[in-house]
Amino acid sequence: MNRQPFVAALRALRQTLLGPDAPVGRPLLARWPRVARYAAPVGLLAALGLFWITFAVESEWGLPAPIAVLFAAMTVAPLLALPRRPLLAWRLTVLALLVCTFNAPADQPWPWTPPLALGSVAVLAGVVARVDRPVLAWVVAISTVPVLTLVHPDNRPAVLALLGASAIVGDLIRRNRLSRRALAAQTEVSEREQERRAVLEERTRIARELHDVVAHHMSLIAVQAETAPYRLTDVPAPAAAEFVAIAASARDALTDMRRLLGVLRSETAGPQTAPQPDLTDLGTMVDAARRAGLPVTLDAELVDDDRVPAPVGLAAYRIVQEGLANAARHAPGAAVRVTVRVGPSRLGVRVQNARPAEAGSRPGEAGAGHGLTGMRERAASLGGTFTAGPLPDGGYAVTAELPYDAEGGDR
């Protein structure tokens, strides 16, 4: 004989009568914070009103004042406990239904006062929306005991139907709440996975671009090493062998980098044959933004920009490109100023837009994409710093500091 269902039923009964209370979960008025702040005082006033109505009804029935106060308190107490302790509220309700019936006059069709009858239905609907089905079955079964023993036989079918309807509605509410909670958790996981994937894709894109720059330098090294013995006169044999070894090492490095690029490149990505942009292409990009309707001002001091390494120039170009895209997307019509400063060992980039005429979402908010993440990744890959945030006047600015060695090699 399988005893598991019997053991599970006893465990659920113990949970119903003596177990810890059901988890509260999210408050009912959490979606409306302005209304939630008035819930406590309004609920307290409603409880005082029910207490006074119950006391008045009990007094009309001829009960002594202390007994009437006790029964009124037993009527209101479950409603006060319901938001935080639903199972405790139901237990107090069952106790009130059993105790507060003996005060009803014989000519009354119902054994309870109207506040107690309506309050018990509200408590039942509240508790069944928060408990599991085994506990729900015991709650409904025990709630029928006062009905079957104290309610007039002519009124029992209606009361039992009301209990059944409350149980069904509460169970539907509970299942809907659990489904929405699971959906919210899954959505959060999907958003985090999408963000992580965007970061990885941006890093892969940066790696591919850096591969092109480094491969160009390695090709130059290989060519210079191979042609050095022919360009120089009286090259000793050991030096010529060194040049041959350097050229062979450079070719091996190029082969390894091509293999690395094959790993980084996605299956759908085609070959990138266009040259990578640098600081000298900023003017062309700004002109294109102006033709698209974005009021852009370029403030760049690019004198002696040959000392800026190609990876740093490429990162600066991409940061300005993404900054202009964010300004056009989130601050349409606002004036944009692009500032580029070439220092002895650092390149400063700043894209700042004025306050937009129409309020729009800031970069980083819902629907803004991952542009800031890409800019931050580019700066971090070069050992630089990146900051982004709103300005006191309502505008927005992104700033990057990209270090490099004065001799021309990026750090």
Side-chain angles (χ1 to χ4, degrees):
M1 179 179 179
N2 189 5
R3 299 180 57 185
Q4 291 185 355
F6 180 73
V7 174
L10 289 180
R11 189 181 299 113
L13 178 60
R14 189 183 306 112
Q15 168 71 22
T16 304
L17 298 178
L18 303 174
D21 218 315
V24 176
R26 187 180 182 185
L28 183 61
L29 299 178
R31 298 181 180 180
W32 304 282
R34 294 184 178 180
V35 179
R37 70 177 65 178
Y38 302 106
V42 171
L44 182 59
L45 290 177
L48 291 176
L50 290 177
F51 179 88
W52 176 255
I53 293 174
T54 305
F55 176 77
V57 173
E58 300 284 356
S59 299
E60 289 182 1
W61 286 355
L63 268 159
I67 302 298
V69 170
L70 175 61
F71 287 169
M74 294 180 66
T75 301
V76 175
L79 298 176
L80 296 177
L82 180 60
R84 297 285 183 179
R85 305 288 299 276
L87 268 180
L88 176 62
W90 172 78
R91 294 162 188 166
L92 294 176
T93 299
V94 173
L95 180 63
L97 292 175
L98 294 174
V99 173
C100 299
T101 55
F102 301 103
N103 62 317
D107 57 347
Q108 292 291 334
W110 296 97
W112 306 298
T113 60
L116 180 57
L118 297 177
S120 62
V121 175
V123 170
L124 180 62
V127 71
V128 298
R130 300 181 185 178
V131 297
D132 297 333
R133 285 189 172 179
V135 179
L136 168 62
W138 281 113
V139 166
V140 175
I142 297 175
S143 298
T144 60
V145 173
V147 177
L148 296 176
T149 56
L150 301 173
V151 176
H152 193 275
D154 295 338
N155 297 328
R156 286 175 188 172
V159 178
L160 292 176
L162 181 60
L163 290 178
S166 301
I168 294 174
V169 171
D171 185 61
L172 292 177
I173 294 174
R174 182 186 65 86
R175 293 177 60 184
N176 183 43
R177 186 178 70 251
L178 293 178
S179 300
R180 286 190 286 106
R181 188 180 303 172
L183 180 61
Q186 184 63 32
T187 302
E188 182 179 359
V189 172
S190 300
E191 290 177 353
R192 281 186 291 187
E193 180 64 22
Q194 183 179 3
E195 182 177 358
R196 187 184 68 86
R197 185 179 303 173
V199 172
L200 293 178
E201 290 177 354
E202 187 65 24
R203 289 180 179 176
T204 303
R205 177 185 173 188
I206 295 172
R208 290 200 304 264
E209 293 178 350
L210 291 179
H211 163 272
D212 297 338
V213 175
V214 177
H216 171 71
H217 292 308
M218 295 299 297
S219 300
L220 292 179
I221 293 174
V223 172
Q224 290 174 350
E226 289 178 345
T227 60
Y230 303 99
R231 290 182 288 103
L232 303 177
T233 59
D234 299 331
V235 178
E242 288 291 336
F243 282 122
V244 172
I246 292 174
S249 299
R251 286 193 297 271
D252 292 339
L254 280 173
T255 301
D256 294 337
M257 292 188 66
R258 291 191 188 98
R259 294 171 181 170
L260 176 62
L261 181 63
V263 175
L264 294 177
R265 194 178 302 279
S266 63
E267 297 180 356
T268 58
Q272 297 179 356
T273 58
Q276 296 295 337
D278 55 14
L279 293 178
T280 58
D281 298 312
L282 286 179
T284 303
M285 179 174 57
V286 170
D287 292 338
R290 289 171 181 163
R291 290 193 298 269
L294 186 65
V296 187
T297 302
L298 177 61
D299 181 10
E301 295 179 357
L302 303 181
V303 294
D304 193 22
D305 54 73
D306 291 340
R307 60 185 171 177
V308 179
V312 178
L314 173 61
Y317 180 91
R318 295 302 187 193
I319 290 174
V320 173
Q321 185 182 43
E322 189 63 37
L324 292 178
N326 280 348
R329 184 183 305 115
H330 303 287
V336 184
R337 184 178 184 85
V338 178
T339 306
V340 181
R341 293 289 183 267
V342 181
S345 61
R346 302 181 72 85
L347 175 65
V349 180
R350 182 180 177 87
V351 181
Q352 175 181 343
N353 63 267
R355 183 176 182 178
E358 298 180 358
S361 61
R362 290 296 180 195
E365 295 181 357
H370 302 280
L372 296 180
T373 302
M375 289 188 279
R376 186 174 290 106
E377 289 288 337
R378 291 185 180 276
S381 66
L382 299 173
T385 59
F386 176 82
T387 57
L391 300 176
D393 60 355
Y396 200 88
V398 294
T399 305
E401 294 286 339
L402 308 177
Y404 60 89
D405 291 338
E407 290 78 9
D410 58 296
R411 293 185 179 179

